[in-house]
Amino acid sequence: MTSWLPALGAVALMSSLSLVGAATMALRARTLERALVVLIAFAAGALLGDVFIHIVPEVSESGTGFDTAASASVLGGIVGFFVLEKVFHWHHAHFPHEEVVHPVAVSNVVGDALHNFVDGAIIAGAFLVSTQLGIATTVAVALHEIPQELGDFAILVHAGLRPRRALLLNFASGLAGVVGAVVTLLLRDTPGLEQFLLPFSAGAFVYIAGTDLIPELHKEPELRKSLLQGGALLLGIGVMALLLVIE
């Protein structure tokens, strides 16, 4: 039971990030766009840093090591998030913003809730291994969630929802992370759960960084912005390395 309090506390904190969209109402569109580019690069670095500085070494040092099952779990994380995004984009393709308002919002909230459920399970699984790994994974997920939640909020407002209702729906989808954490903690005695969740989360993080975040950075070819992005990417990796030193 010692994992319950820190795991649920961390996931609750992550869920509260769904309210970060409120900050966009006080920022000009141009200012928000510039900030998002840096946040995305920082988040990509943090996710990759968590994978290769924390998760992969933890799996390698475990009793079974990085065996075929662990490799299959990594692939499961990559394929799983690929399928999740395909379903999400299918909804958007069939409910375009210009034609239908509320179905867009519904598909966005449902997709985000499922994503948050998996994130909550990943964080709880990390805490089952160690508090240090749980903290590192929470930081990586949180840094990824900030730009994602800003984008989700913008989609809901663009779909015709009032900002207050958009925030409420975003927060409701964020609570799915708590559900994912509780389910994982209740199943903690399931044989092989930790050996599956850690490499699965590694695959998920590599997929998110490689397909969702880094491609966004290539849309800004200007040298000054590219250098800024590179610095933010390295800073994200550096934060994960610093957490290792603190441990």
Side-chain angles (χ1 to χ4, degrees), residues 50 55 69 87 96-97 124 140 142 156:
D50 191 34
I55 297 176
V87 172
H97 293 183
L156 293 178

Side-chain angles (χ1 to χ4, degrees), residues 5 25-26 29 32 47 72 80 91 94 110 121 124 128 136 173 182-183 193 199 206 211 214-215 224 246-247:
L5 185 58
M25 293 184 287
L32 178 61
L47 287 176
H91 275 286
H94 287 74
V110 171
L128 288 176
S173 68
V182 170
V183 170
L193 179 63
V206 167
T211 65
I214 291 178
R224 185 181 65 83
I246 294 175
E247 292 172 12

Side-chain angles (χ1 to χ4, degrees), residues 56-71 73 191-192 194-196 198-199:
V56 169
E58 186 70 40
V59 174
S60 299
E61 294 169 6
S62 65
T64 58
F66 216 100
D67 56 7
T68 303
S71 298
S73 295
E194 295 172 21
Q195 287 76 13
F196 166 77
L198 283 184

Side-chain angles (χ1 to χ4, degrees), residues 18-145:
S18 59
L19 300 175
V20 75
T24 65
M25 293 184 287
L27 297 175
R28 291 185 302 175
R30 185 60 180 167
T31 302
L32 178 61
E33 182 181 346
R34 291 173 179 173
L36 276 176
V37 171
V38 177
L39 283 173
I40 288 172
F42 187 62
L47 287 176
L48 293 175
D50 191 34
V51 169
F52 295 106
I53 296 175
H54 294 275
I55 297 176
V56 169
E58 186 70 40
V59 174
S60 299
E61 294 169 6
S62 65
T64 58
F66 216 100
D67 56 7
T68 303
S71 298
S73 295
V74 172
L75 292 174
I78 295 173
V79 174
F81 269 72
F82 170 78
V83 172
L84 176 62
E85 289 204 336
K86 277 296 182 182
V87 172
F88 180 72
H89 289 306
W90 182 87
H91 275 286
H92 277 279
H94 287 74
F95 300 110
H97 293 183
E98 293 76 8
E99 296 178 5
V100 185
V101 176
H102 291 293
V104 173
V106 171
S107 66
N108 183 80
V109 171
V110 171
D112 192 36
L114 182 55
H115 194 155
N116 288 328
F117 179 91
V118 175
D119 283 344
I122 288 172
I123 290 175
F127 272 102
L128 288 176
V129 176
S130 70
T131 301
Q132 291 79 7
L133 183 60
I135 291 173
T137 301
T138 301
V139 171
V141 171
L143 292 176
H144 158 60
E145 281 296 310

